[in-house]
Amino acid sequence: MWGLSKNPSQLLNKKQHKQEREGGLTESFRLENFIPGLVIGFIFGLFLDLTNPIKNSFKKKNFSGKSQQQSLVSYNGDPELKMVLVVRQDLKMGAGKIASQCAHAATGMYSELMQSQQLLLSRWEQCGQPKIVVTCRNQQEMNKLQEAADSIGLPTFVVADAGRTQVLAGSKTVLAIGPGSKASVDAVTGKLRLL
C-alpha cells in the first residue's frame, strides 16, 4: 500500500520535472538572460585574447638562422608581401601535377610559418596571401635560387615528390620563396618567367 498513496507535493514535483524535460531549453531561454550572457561571453573572450599575446615574437629564428627582427626590417618599408612558387621545367609535369605540387609548397610553407614566424604569416594574410608561379630550368637553378633567398633571410620550402605519378620519388619539384617584401622576393625571382 505504500506505493499506492501519493503525497500531493510529490505529484507536483513529478509534473514540474516532466515539464522541464519536455520544455527543456525553450522554457529556460529568456531574452533577459540571453543578452547579458552574450555581453559577458564577449568580454570574457576579449579578455582571453588580450591576455595571450605572441610572446618573444621578435626573437624567433627564421629559416636562415637570422633573427626575425632583422628580417622584418626589410618588410617594414614595403607593406606588400608575396610568395613566389618556382616550378622546375625539366621535369615536364602536367598541369594538374604542377597545381598539386604548388599547393604542397604553399601549404608546407604555411605550416612551417605557423610554428616559427606567426607575425610574418599574419601580415601576409592581411595582404591577401598573394602567390606568383614562375619557372626555372632545372635542379641546379632551383638550388641557386634557394641559396640566394636564404642568404637575405627569406623563408624557403622545397617540395620533394613522393613518386606516385609523373616524377621519380624524391624529385624536388617546387620551391616556395617567401612570403617576403616584394622588393626582397623580386631580388631573387624577378628575372624568372611566369608559368
Side-chain angles (χ1 to χ4, degrees):
M1 293 283 176
W2 288 64
L4 295 178
S5 66
K6 293 196 176 186
N7 187 347
S9 65
Q10 288 176 332
L11 288 174
L12 183 62
N13 285 340
K14 284 190 175 187
K15 284 182 182 179
Q16 286 175 342
H17 185 64
K18 186 177 178 184
Q19 286 177 347
E20 286 176 6
R21 281 188 301 180
E22 290 175 359
L25 187 59
T26 58
E27 284 187 18
S28 65
F29 178 79
R30 294 190 176 102
L31 188 60
E32 63 265 13
N33 294 336
F34 176 73
I35 293 174
L38 184 65
V39 171
I40 290 170
F42 177 79
I43 293 170
F44 183 70
L46 185 61
F47 175 74
L48 284 177
D49 189 43
L50 293 176
T51 60
N52 191 16
I54 300 174
K55 296 178 182 171
N56 299 325
S57 63
F58 290 109
K59 295 182 181 175
K60 293 183 179 180
K61 298 282 184 180
N62 68 13
F63 302 129
S64 65
K66 297 179 183 176
S67 70
Q68 184 175 359
Q69 184 176 15
Q70 188 176 358
S71 292
L72 288 177
V73 170
S74 64
Y75 303 140
N76 289 335
D78 187 2
E80 290 291 319
L81 302 176
K82 72 176 182 178
M83 176 188 291
V84 171
L85 304 171
V86 183
V87 179
R88 283 179 53 188
Q89 288 180 322
D90 62 319
L91 295 176
K92 307 283 188 223
M93 296 181 286
K97 182 69 171 177
I98 291 172
S100 77
Q101 296 301 296
C102 286
H104 286 314
T107 57
M109 178 63 80
Y110 192 95
S111 177
E112 288 195 8
L113 292 174
M114 282 291 292
Q115 297 175 6
S116 63
Q117 295 189 38
Q118 290 183 356
L119 180 61
L120 173 63
L121 186 61
S122 101
R123 289 190 61 224
W124 182 52
E125 288 172 335
Q126 291 170 0
C127 294
Q129 300 174 332
K131 293 169 273 313
I132 312 296
V133 182
V134 297
T135 62
C136 70
R137 290 184 303 275
N138 52 37
Q139 178 69 52
Q140 291 76 23
E141 186 178 6
M142 182 182 279
N143 291 343
K144 288 178 185 177
L145 292 166
Q146 183 177 12
E147 289 172 14
D150 288 340
S151 72
I152 61 172
L154 289 171
T156 61
F157 184 87
V158 176
V159 176
D161 191 67
R164 295 188 190 108
T165 55
Q166 298 177 15
V167 297
L168 295 175
S171 297
K172 309 292 192 253
T173 57
V174 177
L175 165 66
I177 299 175
S181 70
K182 284 184 177 182
S184 298
V185 174
D186 287 346
V188 177
T189 63
K191 295 181 180 178
L192 298 174
R193 286 183 342 136
L194 292 173
L195 180 67

